[in-house]
Amino acid sequence: MSHFPGRPMACPKCNSFNIETLNRGRRVGSAVGAAAGSVGGFFSALSGARAGAMVGAIAGPVGSAVGGFLGAVFAGIAGGTVGGMAGSALGDVVDSNVLDNYHCLRCDHTFSVSQD
């Protein structure tokens, strides 16, 4: 079944227009990517902490400690964000090309749509 942009999508089994998008791949990819990115961010946090400590050292020992902590936090957040975005994009590809991403709420049929 192919879908034309601008036209409502209908279930190929019962022709109902009451369709939902499942986005399983996007949700799983986003979660896995965010977790992996956070772990990567954690390990790169050491260099972020060192860089923050160097910048904070201008304000003395307290600035160095606060700078190191903030550097580690930002590295973890950045890693999680980038990983989540990458995982979500990969999940979109899986949803579009591999999984039955659409669900008919009328007859409970799941199906995919080719973009011919």
Side-chain angles (χ1 to χ4, degrees):
M1 174 182 178
S2 64
H3 175 67
F4 299 101
R7 271 182 62 198
M9 188 179 321
C11 173
K13 187 174 180 183
C14 72
N15 291 320
S16 171
F17 293 107
N18 198 5
I19 306 294
E20 73 176 339
T21 306
L22 298 174
N23 291 331
R24 290 181 190 129
R26 175 189 280 182
R27 286 194 305 261
V28 170
S30 181
V32 170
S38 294
V39 169
F42 172 77
F43 287 113
S44 70
L46 296 175
S47 62
R50 275 188 239 123
M54 287 160 74
V55 170
I58 296 169
V62 172
S64 180
V66 170
F69 175 75
L70 290 177
V73 168
F74 287 134
I77 290 171
T81 301
V82 170
M85 290 170 56
S88 179
L90 178 61
D92 279 341
V93 171
V94 171
D95 281 337
S96 297
N97 298 302
V98 178
L99 300 177
D100 288 339
N101 196 38
Y102 299 97
H103 175 240
C104 177
L105 298 172
R106 181 176 175 198
C107 71
D108 205 34
H109 180 63
T110 56
F111 59 98
S112 60
V113 175
S114 64
Q115 302 290 326
D116 294 338

